[in-house]
Amino acid sequence: MSIQVSPSPIPNSNAVSLTSTLLDRDDYLVGLLNQVTANKTDGWLQELRQSAANWVRHSILPTTREEEWRFTDLSSLRKVQFNVETLHATSLEFDILPEAANSRLVFVNGVYAPELSAVSDLPSGIVVSNLVGLSAVEHQAVQQYLAQAEGAQEVFTALNTAGITDAAVVWVKKNVVVETPIHLVFISVAGETATISQPRCLVVAESGSQVSLVEEYANRRGAEEGVYLTNAVTEVWVGDNAQVSHTRVEQEGAEAFHIGKTAIAQARDSRYTCHAITLGAKLSRHNLEILQTGEQTQTTLNGLTIISGKQLSDTHSAIALNYPHGTSDQLHKCIVGDRAHAVFNGKVFVPKPAQLTNASQLNRNLLLSSKARVDTKPQLEITADNVKCAHGATVSQLEDDEIFYLQSRGIDENDARKLLINAFAAEVINKIPVPSLREILLNTVNNLKSISPDS
């Protein structure tokens, strides 16, 4: 087996030649692969899928023996046999953001739902479409970006690529400023058997452009809880002096599995902001990877995880600052109740060429139960000698004196707890640039069972 080592610190970005079958076959993974590759495509897309499928066949699902997965056990996932179940929905209830009432794409179980989508309120210079709906010229342009981000060999990313038949595409032309937020909605409808869907997003912001997008994952409102797997991949390419504001909301069903990848490439003078909100799923994992490809980039990452019951939520981020004058600011907060388990691992790489970098990272955790658990590991790997970098983590509980103070002002204990928890969460939610979504999330947090007193 020949191996070429890539200098990129992004996980699973090394180029490996699959010229032998030395790696063990993972029968369960191959079974998933056979499900998602049943429908064929043509031309360049089928070649892309086949290349990814070849990689998956020589891969295995990660286990807790691997450092990147040591707190996230996928054995419960292996017990479920998933099937692809397409659903052509014409009417489903979901939150329509007033700011994006005519600028949204909706996918149901991974299938584009034109009856639920609306893209009439868009300026010239922006393309918002599913992949199948693009013109031949637009298809040609997409080939340069789709599945080209670093880390494409990560097993779940490769599995998604192997099954691509459609995708959400947002393309903003040079110097175009889009005032209207773009809403990408991915709804899962559980069937009688466990289902798998693989949403795919491609966002390209050309030089000098600006765009705001909301990426949302949810189950059908009012439906009975069913078992399903969402394996999502989003690639964001931010051009020179471009600006992208990205809000990602995960509210999957209580019995769902959610694996997500967000891969961002930032060119010179670009600005990227991500607000990642995690509320749902029995087991969720979000890999957030930022690769700096030019000088003077600005990266802002705000994350909020709120879990309870026996939920497990894992956030892994990697920021590769490879050029001078880059700045990154990351705040990730976790609210953990009952027997839930939150995991945060954040890496910031600052190699020698990245002089005059300014990077900060903070993970703050609030435990609402004596049986709640958090594993946190903020990391800085620095070889540059002229930088300003800091990182830290805190784990705390609600303070009795704070609750007592609020009670002394006529607020009962339960409302006092809610007030303190909401304030903790609001620091992240209030940074989201879409007012209606902020209100929805604040109401959601206020009504969550996880804020109940410790039993």
Side-chain angles (χ1 to χ4, degrees):
M1 180 183 297
S2 63
I3 300 178
Q4 301 171 351
V5 178
S6 164
S8 172
I10 299 298
N12 299 290
S13 59
N14 294 347
V16 180
S17 173
L18 297 177
T19 56
S20 71
T21 56
L22 295 178
L23 296 177
D24 293 334
R25 174 188 171 99
D26 186 329
D27 290 337
Y28 180 81
L29 182 58
V30 171
L32 284 179
L33 178 65
N34 291 337
Q35 282 289 325
V36 301
T37 57
N39 294 326
K40 304 300 181 183
T41 52
D42 297 319
W44 67 272
L45 185 57
Q46 184 59 33
E47 293 179 6
L48 180 68
R49 294 178 59 190
Q50 188 59 51
S51 177
N54 290 340
W55 180 270
V56 174
R57 289 191 183 94
H58 291 79
S59 302
I60 59 174
L61 285 181
T63 70
T64 53
R65 292 190 296 271
E66 301 177 34
E67 179 63 24
E68 291 292 302
W69 289 84
R70 70 190 183 104
F71 295 118
T72 303
D73 187 357
L74 297 179
S75 59
S76 59
L77 179 71
R78 282 186 172 274
K79 296 176 181 178
V80 183
Q81 296 299 317
F82 295 98
N83 300 292
V84 174
E85 182 174 312
T86 58
L87 179 66
H88 299 279
T90 58
S91 62
L92 281 176
E93 287 189 24
F94 59 95
D95 290 320
I96 297 178
L97 305 178
E99 300 89 341
N102 294 301
S103 56
R104 72 176 182 273
L105 296 179
V106 180
F107 292 74
V108 180
N109 284 7
V111 178
Y112 177 57
E115 296 86 358
L116 304 178
S117 304
V119 290
S120 60
D121 188 22
L122 295 172
S124 59
I126 179 173
V127 174
V128 179
S129 172
N130 64 320
L131 179 64
V132 174
L134 296 177
S135 67
V137 174
E138 291 165 342
H139 265 277
Q140 190 70 28
V142 162
Q143 292 182 48
Q144 302 175 45
Y145 294 95
L146 186 63
Q148 301 305 309
E150 293 280 353
Q153 290 83 18
E154 189 272 326
V155 61
F156 286 103
T157 305
L159 181 65
N160 181 290
T161 302
I164 292 177
T165 56
D166 207 351
V169 178
V170 178
W171 194 298
V172 189
K173 301 296 180 63
K174 183 177 180 180
N175 295 327
V176 172
V177 177
V178 184
E179 301 290 349
T180 303
I182 311 302
H183 192 192
L184 307 177
V185 186
F186 300 93
I187 302 173
S188 293
V189 179
E192 294 182 359
T193 60
T195 59
I196 177 174
S197 63
Q198 300 202 111
R200 188 78 179 218
C201 301
L202 174 66
V203 180
V204 179
E206 294 186 10
S207 62
S209 65
Q210 294 183 28
V211 67
S212 174
L213 63 124
V214 176
E215 177 187 353
E216 182 178 2
Y217 298 90
N219 68 328
R220 183 175 64 179
R221 183 179 297 171
E224 293 184 5
E225 298 293 354
V227 179
Y228 63 89
L229 166 63
T230 300
N231 179 32
V233 175
T234 297
E235 297 170 285
V236 182
W237 300 83
V238 192
D240 294 347
N241 199 36
Q243 180 173 322
V244 174
S245 175
H246 181 191
T247 303
R248 185 185 194 274
V249 181
E250 183 268 288
Q251 297 188 82
E252 303 277 19
E255 296 299 319
F257 298 87
H258 181 97
I259 308 293
K261 158 74 78 66
T262 305
I264 300 95
Q266 283 191 255
R268 181 186 178 96
D269 295 315
S270 65
R271 297 167 300 284
Y272 173 79
T273 301
C274 180
H275 311 280
I277 312 297
T278 300
L279 303 174
K282 174 183 178 180
L283 182 153
S284 65
R285 165 79 174 229
H286 183 209
N287 295 317
L288 177 58
E289 299 170 359
I290 293 89
L291 180 65
Q292 182 194 38
T293 62
E295 297 183 6
Q296 297 188 160
T297 61
Q298 296 179 23
T299 307
T300 304
L301 306 180
N302 298 309
L304 175 64
T305 297
I306 305 178
I307 53 176
S308 60
K310 295 183 179 180
Q311 286 180 276
L312 187 152
S313 177
D314 183 348
T315 297
H316 268 60
S317 66
I319 307 173
L321 300 170
N322 300 317
Y323 293 85
H325 302 283
T327 64
S328 71
D329 185 9
Q330 182 176 21
L331 171 65
H332 189 85
K333 307 183 85 171
C334 298
I335 301 174
V336 190
D338 300 326
R339 296 173 179 266
H341 181 191
V343 180
F344 173 76
N345 182 289
K347 303 181 185 70
V348 180
F349 301 93
V350 188
K352 194 169 185 179
Q355 300 296 336
L356 300 173
T357 288
N358 188 339
S360 65
Q361 181 185 76
L362 177 61
N363 174 221
R364 296 183 61 199
N365 302 281
L366 181 62
L367 303 184
L368 304 181
S369 164
S370 59
K371 297 178 181 178
R373 174 183 171 187
V374 62
D375 288 287
T376 177
K377 188 180 180 183
Q379 293 178 251
L380 286 175
E381 296 187 18
I382 306 171
T383 54
D385 52 13
N386 188 9
V387 298
K388 183 180 179 181
C389 297
H391 71 285
T394 64
V395 180
S396 62
Q397 296 177 321
L398 293 176
E399 298 290 342
D400 290 339
D401 56 348
E402 293 178 345
I403 297 175
F404 177 77
Y405 174 81
L406 292 174
Q407 287 181 292
S408 70
R409 295 300 185 269
I411 302 173
D412 67 39
E413 180 180 356
N414 193 51
D415 287 341
R417 290 172 58 88
K418 283 186 177 183
L419 190 62
L420 293 172
I421 294 169
N422 289 351
F424 187 87
E427 183 181 4
V428 173
I429 295 176
N430 284 338
K431 295 179 181 180
I432 294 173
V434 183
S436 62
L437 182 59
R438 287 201 304 267
E439 182 178 355
I440 290 170
L441 290 173
L442 288 172
N443 289 335
T444 300
V445 171
N446 190 53
N447 294 325
L448 285 175
K449 295 180 180 179
S450 60
I451 64 176
S452 300
D454 187 357
S455 57

